[in-house]
Amino acid sequence: MKIVDVVVTPIAFRDPPLLNATGVHEPLALRCVVQLHLDDGTIGLGESPGGRAETDRLIAAAEAVRGLDVFATNAARQAVHDALRPTVPRIEDRDGAWAPLEVACLDAQGRLMERPVCDLLGGPVRDSVPFSGYLFYKWSEHPALDGRPAIADEWGEVLDPDGVVAQARRMIELYGFRSLKLKGGVRPPDEEVAAVRALHDAFPQLPLRIDPNAAWTVETSRHVAREVEGFLAYLEDPTGGIAGMGEVARATAVPLATNMVVSNLEHIRPALEHSAVQVLLLDHHLWGGLRRSRGLALFCEALSIGVSMHSNSHLGISLAAMTHLAASVPHLTYACDTHYPWNAPDDVVRSGALRFVDGSVPVPTGPGLGVELDHEVLDRLHRVYLASGRDRRDDTGYMRRIDPAYDPALPRW
Ligand code: GKR
Ligand code: MG
């Protein structure tokens, strides 16, 4: 079965003002949707991070797979790398362009064989995949700017421990999450420790994690680790760099997790040498697709490194792919991250195939990813993208428009 065409559609969808260590989410998040057409009319879907550079790389990658057999994914990845290597030096960026194509190939293969993508990964080891409630400090609204009115959302302002607990309570009520992650690096570290402590007091049975995206020095990270030892499941990217993570790890029994210091194969050896990472977050968008991510999990299993999953603002094609992948990984030791609750109102997939039951997403059972594109929504989100004039994610630039003195330099504390 030949790939005869690949349609890449950049889209923009609503995102609340979620705070992180480098600024605040803009009113629109950017993604790309891939529709990969086979010669028999079958169409496979994929989703990737968006923006001008990402879209251009994806279009170039799509060109490289045109004419190839949809089952020849090893050769297709090679073709993408060969085509991009002269202009795209980072392997993560080349694999980032390949990843949504691999997902679309697997979706198309599954549709051809009338089997779920999970079956193409060896079949499920669980029927549903646990996700964690992803908590964020946030503003109550996107402030009025450029003559545009303020945009409020139903989640309100969250800037203190009580607000974090209230947000968690609502997330749990709506989705049934059985573990929680707080995006940190926003408030001074002792306030964030107070927030995770308040979460622990409110939900003593739930595993907790905090991720300040390297906003803390080694010393501050050690201090936080001492404060949370005993009740935190893991501490994610407390500080920057493999050596720094290693220094923190030596001082605490709390496992350190990362999606920042290990993001390609070259990082693995130094991470092991520094004993810097006890939990690795898979991300098929970064690591070149579902099959390579599954391979990474096997490697973690061999080395007794825990496995979780990273997320960024995303829609249902990605959620479906993440679910199929996680369902096929025996060594999934923590609930996966997902931003989906923040972005679900603008989903491009038809409702029905994806749902949360007690914090877990049942693996879609239809052929391929098991989700169908809503073409009306896709067209609308594409028009929103075009009208936005946006070409990249810029949390810092957006924050500086509201607070010109904002300094994104890390570590901050
Ligand atoms: O959405 O602000 C955010 C997160 O900080 C995201 O950009 C991170 O990539 O969730 C991610 C993480 O775990 O580091
Ligand atoms: Mg992280």
Side-chain angles (χ1 to χ4, degrees):
M1 277 309 156
K2 262 198 183 142
I3 301 166
V4 290
D5 195 13
V6 182
V7 179
V8 174
T9 310
I11 58 170
F13 51 88
R14 287 169 294 167
D15 207 16
L18 307 179
L19 295 158
N20 60 30
T22 50
V24 56
H25 285 210
E26 294 161 89
L28 294 172
L30 309 180
R31 295 292 275 185
C32 287
V33 169
V34 165
Q35 295 172 76
L36 178 132
H37 294 251
L38 303 187
D39 49 5
D40 73 337
T42 303
I43 299 175
L45 302 175
E47 178 185 332
S48 75
R52 171 76 57 80
E54 289 80 355
T55 309
D56 288 350
R57 287 197 291 266
L58 182 46
I59 290 171
E63 206 47 56
V65 304
R66 214 181 289 263
L68 300 183
D69 180 349
V70 71
F71 286 90
T73 51
N74 292 333
R77 174 174 179 268
Q78 206 58 54
V80 166
H81 276 266
D82 290 347
L84 298 189
R85 198 171 289 107
T87 51
V88 182
R90 279 172 24 114
I91 186 168
E92 292 96 319
D93 292 336
R94 299 197 297 272
D95 265 334
W98 159 242
L101 298 171
E102 189 245 23
V103 171
C105 285
L106 293 176
D107 185 30
Q109 290 177 24
R111 286 168 194 265
L112 286 171
M113 294 186 291
E114 300 188 359
R115 302 297 291 254
V117 161
C118 188
D119 284 5
L120 305 175
L121 305 173
V125 291
R126 54 185 68 79
D127 297 336
S128 66
V129 169
F131 285 87
S132 60
Y134 203 157
L135 310 175
F136 279 84
Y137 290 103
K138 67 180 289 296
W139 294 335
S140 61
E141 58 184 25
H142 284 290
L145 269 180
D146 305 326
R148 191 196 61 211
I151 311 166
D153 61 71
E154 77 251 37
W155 291 89
E157 178 183 88
V158 175
L159 293 173
D160 60 17
D162 286 348
V164 170
V165 170
Q167 191 186 85
R169 205 174 291 290
R170 179 137 191 262
M171 279 267 177
I172 292 167
E173 269 163 27
L174 290 173
Y175 299 94
F177 290 118
R178 291 179 175 180
S179 68
L180 298 168
K181 163 170 174 169
L182 175 62
K183 175 56 54 178
V186 174
R187 308 294 300 170
D190 283 332
E191 280 187 36
E192 296 192 351
V193 167
V196 282
R197 208 182 285 286
L199 284 172
H200 179 59
D201 290 344
F203 312 104
Q205 73 287 8
L206 299 195
L208 303 174
R209 54 189 92 157
I210 181 167
D211 173 11
N213 286 116
W216 304 333
T217 61
V218 167
E219 201 186 322
T220 302
S221 304
R222 286 176 165 170
H223 163 73
V224 171
R226 273 193 302 276
E227 296 292 311
V228 300
E229 216 164 81
F231 73 89
L232 211 69
Y234 62 70
L235 192 51
E236 184 173 325
D237 287 311
T239 201
I242 287 174
M245 287 280 280
E247 282 185 64
V248 179
R250 276 195 290 284
T252 179
V254 183
L256 298 195
T258 191
N259 60 277
M260 294 177 77
V261 300
V262 178
S263 58
N264 72 43
L265 293 178
E266 287 170 13
H267 301 146
I268 289 180
R269 185 186 290 273
L272 292 177
E273 282 164 2
H274 287 269
S275 303
V277 174
Q278 289 76 51
V279 182
L280 190 61
L281 273 66
L282 306 180
D283 184 341
H284 74 268
H285 305 89
L286 247 188
W287 285 86
L290 305 183
R291 286 193 170 134
R292 287 178 72 80
S293 300
R294 204 173 172 275
L296 189 61
L298 182 61
F299 161 86
C300 290
E301 184 175 354
L303 293 166
S304 301
I305 292 174
V307 169
S308 184
M309 192 181 281
H310 172 247
S311 139
N312 256 316
S313 307
H314 68 91
L315 298 176
I317 301 172
S318 280
L319 182 63
M322 290 155 76
T323 302
H324 284 283
L325 168 61
S328 79
V329 171
H331 185 65
L332 181 77
T333 52
Y334 299 94
C336 303
D337 291 351
T338 179
H339 285 62
Y340 190 72
W342 299 109
N343 304 118
D346 276 346
D347 204 356
V348 274
V349 304
R350 291 189 191 287
S351 54
L354 296 167
R355 63 193 206 288
F356 286 82
V357 180
D358 297 333
S360 294
V361 175
V363 183
T365 49
L369 291 172
V371 295
E372 298 300 331
L373 200 51
D374 184 326
H375 287 273
E376 259 174 47
V377 175
L378 182 70
D379 290 349
R380 179 170 61 76
L381 298 184
H382 180 53
R383 287 197 302 274
V384 173
Y385 170 79
L386 293 175
S388 75
R390 291 265 317 280
D391 64 2
R392 68 192 172 96
R393 174 178 176 176
D394 185 8
D395 296 10
T396 301
Y398 182 45
M399 177 63 104
R400 277 184 163 162
R401 297 201 58 203
I402 292 137
D403 172 10
Y406 182 77
D407 178 4
L410 300 178
R412 184 166 298 126
W413 291 283

